[in-house]
Amino acid sequence: MPDYGADYLRRLDAAVMEFQTAFDAWMTTQVELGFGAPYGHFPTVRMRDSLDRAEERRLALDVAEKAGSAARAVQVTGTYMQVEGLGPLDPIANWSLMSSVKAVFEPKDIRNAAATTRGRLHGMIIEAEAAEESDLPAFAPSLFHAVIWGAAAPYWTTHKYRVAVREAAEALTEHWRKELGRMDVSGTTFWEQTLSAPKSQRPKDASDWPRLVWPGEPNDKTVKSIRNGLPPLAASLKGLAEGLNSTVRNPTSHSSEELSEQEAMERLAAYSFLARLLDQCDIQRPARSDTESVDEPRP
C-alpha cells in the first residue's frame, strides 16, 4: 500500500485549495508592490488606503488558519523555495512575510507555490490510486530521514537529482560534525575518527575524540557485526558523495549527466538508512581525565 493514500492526498489538495481561496480574498485588501530596489528591503504588499482594518485582520486570520492546514502539503510534496541566507522555506506557511520589512516572498511566489503543490498532489493521487489498484508498494522520498530529505527537497522538486543527493550527503556530515563539536575536521577524516575503535584499543599516544558507538554488549554477534559494518558503510557513502560533488561542479565531466529520479531515490535511501543507524548510536565522549570515556546514550 502507498505511504500516502489517495484519500489523504485529496484532503491535502482540498486544504491547499481553501488556502488559495482565503489568500485571494485577503489580497483584495492589498496593493501588490513586488520587489523594488534595493531588492528585498521592503514589504511586497501594503494595505489599501481607506480600508476597514478590522476586515483586513479578519481575512488575514482566515489565511493563517488555512495555511496551517495546507502547510503539510508542502512537506509531502517538497514544494519549498530556496531563499538565500535562510535556506528552504515553505511559502504557504510563511505567506505573511510579504508584509514584513525585508520580505522574502511576493504574492506571485505564494500563488505559484500553491499551484505547484496542487499539481504535484494531483500526480501523487494518480500514482496512489494506481498503486492501490495494483497493490504494488509506493515509495515517498519525503519519508526519508529528516536531515536527508530536508537537504534534498529544494533540489529534488526542481528535478536536480544529482545535486539533491550530493547536498543530502554533505548535510549528514555537517549534522554530525555540529552534534559532536568536530568542526576541526571534515569529510573522510571525520567519519574515520567518529566511527573508529575506542582509545583503549588504539596506540597509547593516540588522540581521543567523540565517537558514535552502536549500543549493546561488545560480544553480542549482532552488535559486533553492526559495529564492524558502520565504518565501511559511512566511508563508501562518503566516497559516493565526493564523486557526486566533483561531477556536479565540473560541467566538462563525462559523468555529469543528470541522475534519473529512480537512481537518485535509491541513493537517498542509502543515506537515509545510514542516518537512522547513526541516530541509534550512543555518543561516547572522552572524559576529562583522558583515561576514561563517557557514554551518552541517544534519546
Side-chain angles (χ1 to χ4, degrees), residues 86-196:
L86 298 176
L89 290 183
D90 176 349
I92 291 179
N94 294 285
W95 67 275
S96 61
L97 293 180
M98 295 187 305
S99 302
S100 304
V101 177
K102 297 185 178 181
V104 296
F105 296 123
E106 57 181 317
K108 71 175 184 179
D109 295 327
I110 311 303
R111 295 190 184 101
N112 287 343
T116 301
T117 300
R118 293 196 66 196
R120 290 177 181 166
L121 283 171
H122 293 167
M124 293 174 70
I125 289 170
I126 292 173
E127 292 176 0
E129 290 174 340
E132 289 170 357
E133 291 174 2
S134 63
D135 201 29
L136 292 175
F139 205 47
S142 57
L143 293 181
F144 286 146
H145 189 280
V147 171
I148 301 302
W149 180 240
Y155 304 96
W156 190 275
T157 55
T158 55
H159 309 295
K160 297 178 181 178
Y161 299 123
R162 186 178 290 274
V163 179
V165 175
R166 184 200 72 194
E167 292 298 311
E170 293 183 351
L172 181 61
T173 298
E174 289 306 299
H175 169 77
W176 281 107
R177 286 177 68 209
K178 293 177 182 177
E179 182 78 11
L180 300 177
R182 293 304 315 275
M183 305 309 290
D184 57 318
V185 294
S186 60
T188 303
T189 300
F190 167 74
W191 287 116
E192 287 175 349
Q193 294 180 354
T194 299
L195 298 173
S196 63

Side-chain angles (χ1 to χ4, degrees), residues 51-291:
L51 190 73
D52 182 356
R53 291 185 176 274
E55 176 65 7
E56 190 273 342
R57 286 195 295 269
R58 184 187 69 79
L59 291 173
L61 287 174
D62 190 39
V63 181
E65 179 182 346
K66 298 301 190 297
S69 300
R72 173 60 176 162
V74 173
Q75 180 181 349
V76 168
T77 60
T79 317
Y80 297 95
M81 287 186 64
Q82 189 73 18
V83 179
E84 185 175 356
L86 298 176
L89 290 183
D90 176 349
I92 291 179
N94 294 285
W95 67 275
S96 61
L97 293 180
M98 295 187 305
S99 302
S100 304
V101 177
K102 297 185 178 181
V104 296
F105 296 123
E106 57 181 317
K108 71 175 184 179
D109 295 327
I110 311 303
R111 295 190 184 101
N112 287 343
T116 301
T117 300
R118 293 196 66 196
R120 290 177 181 166
L121 283 171
H122 293 167
M124 293 174 70
I125 289 170
I126 292 173
E127 292 176 0
E129 290 174 340
E132 289 170 357
E133 291 174 2
S134 63
D135 201 29
L136 292 175
F139 205 47
S142 57
L143 293 181
F144 286 146
H145 189 280
V147 171
I148 301 302
W149 180 240
Y155 304 96
W156 190 275
T157 55
T158 55
H159 309 295
K160 297 178 181 178
Y161 299 123
R162 186 178 290 274
V163 179
V165 175
R166 184 200 72 194
E167 292 298 311
E170 293 183 351
L172 181 61
T173 298
E174 289 306 299
H175 169 77
W176 281 107
R177 286 177 68 209
K178 293 177 182 177
E179 182 78 11
L180 300 177
R182 293 304 315 275
M183 305 309 290
D184 57 318
V185 294
S186 60
T188 303
T189 300
F190 167 74
W191 287 116
E192 287 175 349
Q193 294 180 354
T194 299
L195 298 173
S196 63
K199 188 175 181 181
S200 60
Q201 299 177 23
R202 300 199 305 272
K204 292 184 178 181
D205 58 348
S207 300
D208 209 357
W209 41 71
R211 300 170 56 256
L212 291 175
V213 181
W214 187 260
E217 293 296 328
N219 294 327
D220 182 89
K221 290 185 178 180
T222 301
V223 172
K224 187 180 297 185
S225 295
I226 295 178
R227 287 185 178 181
N228 290 337
L230 270 175
L233 175 61
S236 62
L237 289 176
K238 178 60 183 173
L240 175 61
E242 291 172 349
L244 287 165
N245 191 42
S246 62
T247 55
V248 167
R249 293 177 179 173
N250 181 3
T252 64
S253 171
H254 294 296
S255 59
S256 62
E257 292 83 3
E258 184 55 81
L259 294 174
S260 70
E261 184 175 17
Q262 180 64 31
E263 290 170 332
M265 193 176 295
E266 290 169 355
R267 286 160 173 77
L268 281 187
Y271 288 112
S272 182
F273 172 65
L274 174 61
R276 296 194 193 282
L277 286 178
L278 296 175
D279 280 349
Q280 297 178 64
C281 288
D282 292 338
I283 299 177
Q284 188 180 79
R285 300 184 185 275
R288 293 184 179 180
S289 65
D290 200 36
T291 59

Side-chain angles (χ1 to χ4, degrees), residues 19-37:
F19 168 80
Q20 288 177 307
T21 301
F23 182 78
D24 289 341
W26 178 74
M27 282 303 301
T28 62
T29 70
Q30 304 293 309
V31 176
E32 296 191 28
L33 304 175
F35 287 114

